[in-house]
Amino acid sequence: MILLKTINHKCPSCNANLKYNPKNKNWKCEYCGSVFTLKDLKKNEEKYDKTEVDKKKNKSEEMDEYFCQDCGAKIVASKNTSATFCVYCKNTAILKSRLTDKFSPSKIIPFSKTKEDAIEAFKKVGKGKILMPKEFTLPKNIEELTGIYIPFWLYTGKIKGKITGKGNKVRTWSTRDYIYTETKVYSIERNGEFNFNNIPVDGSVRFNDAIMNSIEPFDYKELENFNVSYLSGFLSEKYDVEATVLHKLL
């Protein structure tokens, strides 16, 4: 296994860890109270980023283990993990090299709900359900709720189709002595086309497709240009299913 140093976002003022605040859409230091925008973090990252030689070296490496920058612990991550937590000090560890080149997302929808919002919602869902296992509502388990970014492909295209069939038109009338029935048979053809834009399909085999479909539709007005700073405080996965493979299944 290859060992990799991770990155997490430090407060430029006091060097404490920074986490993304979904409500205010900024990064606030819990220690000194300083507030930073994405532009501020970009400047700070450029200042302390690795050299180009290190970047090229890391691009070709498949990382299975990494060192936590805060406590030095060695943590094992799956091959598709791009952001995780150190199980010892609980700080965010972003495997930046796994989000380079073709694995670098173009857009991201940042979280708009906090962990506290998620815990409150979970408690409401479980309230009154007497058959729910007690383990689901144990405080130690509820506190482990964590937001995770999942990779999605967006597809835009056009579908053309043709339908053929037969139609019957029946008319009945009567006279004093007879009842008449007239049946006309028609050949029916219909042509049509349908345009679709930004249809989301998750790019990870780890997540159940039915669950992924249940969280749609997404509000594309919330899309932002991707930056690893949004991953701080959350888990993240990189895709493991190519866009061309999923396109064949549509």
Side-chain angles (χ1 to χ4, degrees):
M1 292 185 179
I2 302 172
L3 300 181
L4 167 68
K5 286 186 177 180
T6 62
I7 64 168
N8 52 23
H9 293 285
K10 298 289 187 179
C11 174
S13 300
C14 68
N15 206 41
N17 289 305
L18 291 175
K19 291 184 179 180
Y20 178 64
N21 188 318
K23 286 190 176 296
N24 299 324
K25 297 185 178 180
N26 57 28
W27 288 258
K28 182 177 181 180
C29 179
E30 298 176 353
Y31 295 89
C32 68
S34 299
V35 178
F36 303 95
T37 64
L38 182 60
K39 185 177 181 180
D40 296 330
L41 292 182
K42 284 182 178 179
K43 290 182 179 178
N44 190 60
E45 182 180 349
E46 291 173 358
K47 183 178 179 181
Y48 295 102
D49 207 355
K50 297 179 180 180
T51 63
E52 290 300 319
V53 175
D54 290 334
K55 288 180 181 178
K56 292 179 180 179
K57 179 180 178 181
N58 288 333
K59 284 180 182 179
S60 62
E61 294 176 344
E62 183 68 26
M63 308 303 177
D64 295 315
E65 296 181 350
Y66 63 89
F67 283 120
C68 175
Q69 279 194 340
D70 292 287
C71 68
K74 184 174 70 174
I75 309 300
V76 177
S78 68
K79 64 180 182 179
N80 293 319
T81 300
S82 54
T84 184
F85 295 104
C86 174
V87 296
Y88 297 97
C89 66
K90 301 299 182 181
N91 286 324
T92 307
I94 301 174
L95 306 181
K96 188 178 179 182
S97 65
R98 293 188 177 179
L99 295 172
T100 57
D101 298 336
K102 71 173 185 177
F103 290 108
S104 178
S106 59
K107 298 287 184 178
I108 187 173
I109 299 180
F111 273 95
S112 60
K113 301 292 185 180
T114 64
K115 181 176 180 177
E116 290 71 25
D117 294 331
I119 291 176
E120 186 63 28
F122 181 80
K123 288 180 177 179
K124 288 181 179 180
V125 170
K127 189 175 182 180
K129 293 181 171 59
I130 59 176
L131 297 180
M132 178 179 286
K134 293 182 179 179
E135 288 74 13
F136 278 69
T137 56
L138 289 177
K140 67 176 183 179
N141 291 332
I142 293 179
E143 287 300 319
E144 294 300 319
L145 284 175
T146 304
I148 180 170
Y149 286 106
I150 299 172
F152 275 81
W153 295 106
L154 299 181
Y155 293 89
T156 297
K158 179 186 293 185
I159 297 176
K160 292 184 178 180
K162 180 179 181 180
I163 299 176
T164 60
K166 289 184 178 181
N168 296 333
K169 185 176 182 180
V170 180
R171 183 170 70 96
T172 302
W173 70 95
S174 62
T175 64
R176 179 180 298 179
D177 299 318
Y178 298 98
I179 297 176
Y180 298 92
T181 299
E182 179 187 68
T183 302
K184 294 181 178 180
V185 180
Y186 298 89
S187 177
I188 301 174
E189 292 186 2
R190 290 291 185 269
N191 297 315
E193 62 180 45
F194 176 75
N195 297 318
F196 58 91
N197 297 303
N198 294 329
I199 302 298
V201 181
D202 72 278
S204 176
V205 297
R206 291 184 58 188
F207 300 96
N208 183 280
D209 290 338
I211 295 177
M212 294 298 98
N213 293 337
S214 69
I215 63 177
E216 300 172 17
F218 301 113
D219 186 358
Y220 293 139
K221 294 180 181 178
E222 299 296 323
L223 280 170
E224 301 284 353
N225 291 328
F226 177 76
N227 187 284
V228 293
S229 299
Y230 287 116
L231 305 185
S232 58
F234 300 96
L235 298 176
S236 174
E237 292 278 317
K238 72 175 185 179
Y239 73 85
D240 55 7
V241 183
E242 296 288 345
T244 53
V245 174
L246 292 174
H247 182 266
K248 296 178 181 178
L249 302 178
L250 294 178

